[in-house]
Amino acid sequence: AQSVAQPEDQVNVAEGNPLTVKCTYSVSGNPYLFWYVQYPNRGLQFLLKYITGDNLVKGSYGFEAEFNKSQTSFHLKKPSALVSDSALYFCAVREYSGAGSYQLTFGKGTKLSVIP
Amino acid sequence: AAGVIQSPRHLIKEKRETATLKCYPIPRHDTVYWYQQGPGQDPQFLISFYEKMQSDKGSIPDRFSAQQFSDYHSELNMSSLELGDSALYFCASTSTSGRAYNEQFFGPGTRLTVL
């Protein structure tokens, strides 16, 4: 079975500083990896995905993620954090279960707090 | 651009009642997924449909059922509601072809509260 882990429940960073939200994965084949963000009482918003190609993936709102196969990681990064980035971030891996179904398995989420 | 629509956005029910949640996928998307997110939890996959046929089941209780209709909208039916069913229920849609193939687009969710 495929899985994804987010080792940090919470990350605090000062506004303007770079941020990293960590994610590691365990898959039996080539991973399809995603990052989603969830603001309070809101739905999940897609940030970026890695399917194949360049290890550095650029996404929405200035976020990027680096796929590292040797470390089985897919950390989310942003060069300069904004207070408005404060939210809950989920890493997810796409899991194929047959019959065209590709449900997502999510990590437990990391709460990012950007301090003014 | 059109997004995934879910209705209702909020629903309050009593124990042992039934509830029906609706999901309208993005036009031309052929696959729908349902997820349940409990308080402080990560979303958990419940069930999915591809071309109106159930394609996979996750941690969906037997009290729940779902279907996808000819217009591709989906409904999640929940019976004998329990307090533990209180959660945010997401629907996501995707297309098995085109640029959206590898990406699930999520709706805003339905917040179900069982009293």
Side-chain angles (χ1 to χ4, degrees), chain B residues 4 9 18 30 41 69 77 83-85 94 97 108 110-112:
Chain B
V4 177
R9 294 293 307 278
T18 62
D30 50 22
Q41 303 294 315
F69 295 86
N77 300 294
L83 295 178
D85 296 329
T94 190
S97 63
T110 294
R111 183 168 295 283
L112 172 66

Side-chain angles (χ1 to χ4, degrees), chain A residues 2-83:
Chain A
Q2 302 183 135
S3 67
V4 60
Q6 294 179 242
E8 301 157 317
D9 291 336
Q10 177 143 0
V11 169
N12 298 320
V13 63
E15 185 178 22
N17 282 4
L19 69 87
T20 298
V21 183
K22 296 180 180 178
C23 172
T24 58
Y25 64 89
S26 171
V27 303
S28 54
N30 293 323
Y32 287 17
L33 298 159
F34 303 81
W35 275 102
Y36 286 85
V37 60
Q38 185 176 30
Y39 295 96
N41 300 312
R42 301 286 296 277
L44 292 165
Q45 296 181 39
F46 170 80
L47 282 179
L48 50 79
K49 64 185 177 187
Y50 173 81
I51 306 299
T52 186
D54 291 339
N55 290 340
L56 186 63
V57 179
K58 294 189 182 297
S60 307
Y61 313 118
F63 283 93
E64 58 188 29
E66 185 171 9
F67 172 68
N68 188 317
K69 189 172 183 178
S70 63
Q71 297 184 4
T72 62
S73 67
F74 188 57
H75 301 333
L76 181 70
K77 299 180 179 182
K78 187 172 183 180
S80 179
L82 301 173
V83 173

Side-chain angles (χ1 to χ4, degrees), chain A residues 32 34 36 38 41-44 46 49 51 88 90 94 97-104 106-109, chain B residues 9 31 33 35 37 41-45 48 50 55-56 88 90 96 99 101-104 106-108 111:
Chain A
Y32 287 17
F34 303 81
Y36 286 85
Q38 185 176 30
N41 300 312
R42 301 286 296 277
L44 292 165
F46 170 80
K49 64 185 177 187
I51 306 299
L88 188 58
F90 288 100
R94 192 184 81 162
S97 58
S101 178
Y102 292 92
Q103 70 266 27
L104 293 175
F106 289 86
K108 295 301 181 183
Chain B
R9 294 293 307 278
T31 305
Y33 300 83
Y35 294 87
Q37 185 180 27
Q41 303 294 315
D42 57 297
Q44 294 288 320
F45 169 69
S48 62
Y50 167 67
S55 50
D56 196 26
L88 191 56
F90 288 110
T96 53
R99 292 184 61 199
Y101 177 52
N102 290 309
E103 181 181 334
Q104 292 185 20
F106 282 81
R111 183 168 295 283

